[in-house]
Amino acid sequence: MDNKKIKLLIAVLLLITAAAVGVTVWALFFREQQTVVLTPDYAPQEEEINIEAIPGDSGEKMESEEGGGSVSLSYSNEATIDISDKKAYVYFANPGKSNQDMVLQIIISEEVILQSGTIVPGYKVSELDLLKDAEKMLSPGGYDGKFVVLYYSPESGEKAIVNTEIPIHITVRE
Amino acid sequence: MKKVFAVMIFAVFVQCLGCAAFAAENSTNIGEKYFAEIEVSAAWSFAEKTPAVYGIDIAWSNMTFVYSGEETKLWDPKTHTYDVESKGEWKEFSAEITVTNHSNISVSVEMEYVPEDKTCITGSLSKNFAVLEAGKEGDYAGADFVTATLYISGNPSSSDYFGGEKIGTVKIIVK
């Protein structure tokens, strides 16, 4: 093999090596990671920013045994997601008679696309922000999804042993 | 001839009286003139919509379960070791969960106990499924409900559960 050919071979090998190193660096440091949402064991420190007081709610509490809990849910099983707004439009309320704070998740095909902040008793939400980049997983149309409602003690912030799932229908629009 | 003419004139008058009597049934006499009356009617069409509104109450009793155990160490003089005998029982082993339907639509309720990973403690519910009737108008107190009892069993070791660790979750699915 003459010198020219050897040089060309070395150049090609160097190029392949550089490309492989580049791909490795990109995969390790720059590739977008899939967001994994873990259900918090303690209530989020921040109250949900989109909450509104329920008009005319007396705030009279349900009876509850010491160490137990009681919640009241008021909701619609239809939700709309606007991809361009990156928001979900829902009706979900934690009436004042509940004695637990709530966190609402919307799940489609086991992917959490939305997790609210704390919804305290006596308040409702009608719009919520999607999780970062969740809109990229969706396209216009109808989806079967679910609300997952988590309950937290207002005193300790600890998650209750009971949680609730509610199947819902979600319409996604652009 | 005059008599015949008079009779004919009388007959014409009598017929005219009959016409006036028939006309009175379907016309209004205003200023001695007759007008035909056309009835105009309206029918009230009313579609009442009652969209489904869900209102669910969930209450649960104290979910802290207490296992009371004791260990006895018996000295074996032949091997110079202790044989450990342990026994115990659940002092608090059940709790109730009640779901009440205040919706204007019937709902089905599924309940499931989901143990934490790597726990030797198990749980079972006395009821796993119920259909709750829609709320009746004006009868808040009579709302349909279901109560299930959660029973806990198993033999926990004191080292694993000394701090009152979480052992599981009750998942309630409302459809």
Side-chain angles (χ1 to χ4, degrees), chain A residues 54-123:
Chain A
I54 301 170
D57 192 307
S58 68
E60 196 179 328
K61 297 289 178 198
M62 292 163 72
E63 282 180 23
S64 182
E65 191 183 300
E66 197 182 333
S70 53
V71 291
S72 184
L73 306 168
S74 188
Y75 60 90
S76 164
N77 60 358
E78 298 279 339
T80 302
I81 289 174
D82 195 308
I83 294 174
S84 53
D85 281 2
K86 299 177 186 176
K87 280 181 185 289
Y89 297 91
V90 298
Y91 175 71
F92 183 86
N94 182 9
K97 62 181 180 176
S98 295
N99 68 12
Q100 303 276 302
D101 294 342
M102 293 183 190
V103 168
L104 178 69
Q105 292 179 332
I106 293 181
I107 296 178
I108 299 176
S109 302
E110 304 307 317
E111 290 286 344
V112 181
I113 59 158
L114 181 154
Q115 181 167 291
S116 74
T118 305
I119 304 167
V120 295
Y123 284 80

Side-chain angles (χ1 to χ4, degrees), chain B residues 5 21 44 49-50 61 66 69 85 108-109 112 121 123 133-135 138 145-146 158 165 168:
Chain B
F5 187 69
W44 176 238
K49 284 186 178 176
T50 51
S61 55
V66 179
E85 278 183 7
S108 65
V109 177
E112 184 188 351
I121 301 170
E133 294 298 315
F145 67 95
V146 59
S158 57
E165 273 71 16

Side-chain angles (χ1 to χ4, degrees), chain A residues 41 62 65-77 97 100 151 159-167, chain B residues 52-63 65 97 102 107 113 140 166 168-175:
Chain A
D41 289 323
M62 292 163 72
E65 191 183 300
E66 197 182 333
S70 53
V71 291
S72 184
L73 306 168
S74 188
Y75 60 90
S76 164
N77 60 358
K97 62 181 180 176
Q100 303 276 302
Y151 310 118
K159 189 166 72 173
I161 200 168
V162 176
N163 65 47
T164 306
E165 288 187 11
I166 301 161
Chain B
V53 176
Y54 292 87
I56 305 290
D57 288 353
I58 302 168
W60 59 94
S61 55
N62 189 356
M63 290 276 176
F65 305 101
I97 301 134
H102 292 295
V107 296
Y113 176 74
Y140 182 86
K166 186 180 170 186
T169 307
V170 177
K171 184 160 77 177
I172 299 169
I173 302 166
V174 181
K175 290 180 181 171

